[in-house]
Amino acid sequence: HHQFKNISQDLGKLLDKATLAGLWAPIICLENKHKAHEYYPGLINDSPDFLQKYGITHVFTTTIYGENENFERNFPGAMNKAHLLALYHVWRTQVLLYQIHPLPSPKKGGIYEAELFTQKGNIPRYDKDASQKLAVFSPSKKSHFVIQIPTQKSYLPGKYMITYRIRTKEIYNKKDRWARLDVISAERRHLFGYKELYPSDINKDSYKNFYLKVTIPRTQKLKIRVYSTGSASFWVDWVKIEKMN
């Protein structure tokens, strides 16, 4: 499967001497030099000290058949502290990549990493120029949402600047818009603002920040989205929301 190959090669570049756990871990280590150990309660490596015994550094778990819930239930201490690195869509399931012993990182207020909000049909890929070395790659095809970010907190009424960090790969339709950036209310789907991107807006093969100003009339959570028309392939690195004075 080409997705497994791409993910496996990317993890070879992204991680340093990792040991991965999960039912798909052996497959995901075929194209790199990382170690892999399967785990499933009552069947494979069913031991309370499984993570320590094998020196697990990362968990690569599907959400099908409750595999991710098994890790959360049986290793609550490690999983509560674990850092989610990426959300993939493979076959008919979502796959979560966690780092088990994350180093403390400075809090980046208002920044949402795109690879944690991947929509179906897109894939987090290794990118040395991306902030966490991962960005969501959106292939050119039919129109689709690339990312949809439900904000973790509610935002007070006022004016906000949304910044989208995007890099284009190829534009196939030289005239029409290739993406739409927008912000809606999380509950009522009310549109607060949008920006259409055209071929004249791009810096080919280098990241560019796109800005969208919105006014929020009442305290609420938001949903920040990137939509592809299908006429270009591009990467989304992160989205940032900041209060304007």
Side-chain angles (χ1 to χ4, degrees):
H1 195 285
H2 71 279
Q3 266 186 299
F4 283 126
K5 186 174 182 179
N6 287 338
I7 296 170
S8 183
Q9 290 176 350
D10 284 349
L11 295 187
K13 300 170 190 170
L14 180 69
L15 308 178
D16 182 35
K17 294 181 180 176
T19 303
L20 283 82
L23 293 177
W24 285 358
I27 302 171
I28 226 65
C29 290
L30 289 174
E31 297 279 333
N32 57 54
K33 295 182 179 178
H34 301 317
K35 296 176 183 175
H37 296 280
E38 293 175 284
Y39 169 79
Y40 203 84
L43 292 174
I44 311 166
N45 287 323
D46 186 4
S47 166
D49 66 347
F50 164 69
L51 298 182
Q52 296 86 352
K53 181 179 178 182
Y54 291 105
I56 302 299
T57 61
H58 294 78
V59 169
F60 187 83
T61 173
T62 68
T63 57
I64 203 167
Y65 306 129
E67 186 189 359
N68 59 315
E69 294 168 359
N70 288 333
F71 279 101
E72 292 163 9
R73 187 184 308 112
N74 297 327
F75 309 106
M79 295 306 291
N80 284 338
K81 296 175 187 173
H83 179 57
L84 182 63
L85 295 182
L87 163 64
Y88 299 91
H89 294 268
V90 182
W91 187 51
R92 289 179 293 183
T93 184
Q94 294 183 350
V95 185
L96 306 170
L97 173 65
Y98 287 99
Q99 184 176 353
I100 292 296
H101 303 290
L103 295 170
S105 58
K107 293 281 183 188
K108 295 184 294 182
I111 290 186
Y112 295 91
E113 290 289 340
E115 59 271 16
L116 305 185
F117 304 96
T118 318
Q119 296 298 293
K120 199 167 184 178
N122 309 277
I123 183 171
R125 294 301 313 266
Y126 174 82
D127 184 348
K128 63 180 175 55
D129 298 322
S131 65
Q132 302 289 319
K133 306 292 188 226
L134 285 170
V136 175
F137 178 64
S138 173
S140 61
K141 53 177 182 179
K142 61 186 180 183
S143 56
H144 62 283
F145 280 105
V146 183
I147 59 168
Q148 296 196 60
I149 301 171
T151 62
Q152 293 152 345
K153 70 170 193 172
S154 296
Y155 287 89
L156 297 170
K159 293 186 181 344
Y160 291 85
M161 177 69 79
I162 318 291
T163 306
Y164 300 76
R165 189 171 191 250
I166 297 173
R167 175 161 71 102
T168 52
K169 185 180 181 185
E170 292 178 272
I171 299 284
Y172 297 97
N173 187 324
K174 305 293 185 190
K175 297 178 182 177
D176 295 339
R177 67 190 177 108
W178 52 274
R180 171 184 160 122
L181 317 174
D182 69 21
V183 178
I184 62 173
S185 60
E187 304 117 23
R188 298 187 180 184
R189 303 288 193 206
H190 179 77
L191 179 67
F192 293 125
Y194 70 93
K195 184 183 189 75
E196 308 278 16
L197 300 186
Y198 292 88
S200 57
D201 294 318
I202 68 161
N203 284 357
K204 190 159 184 252
D205 275 342
S206 64
Y207 277 102
K208 181 177 178 180
N209 288 351
F210 295 94
Y211 302 97
L212 174 61
K213 292 180 185 177
V214 298
T215 300
I216 308 302
R218 62 179 179 84
T219 302
Q220 59 195 296
K221 291 184 177 180
L222 310 173
K223 186 173 278 189
I224 305 171
R225 309 186 297 184
V226 175
Y227 175 82
S228 169
T229 66
S231 63
S233 56
F234 58 93
W235 286 267
V236 183
D237 185 7
W238 49 253
V239 172
K240 179 166 62 174
I241 177 166
E242 299 169 286
K243 187 95 160 51
M244 299 174 71
N245 295 327

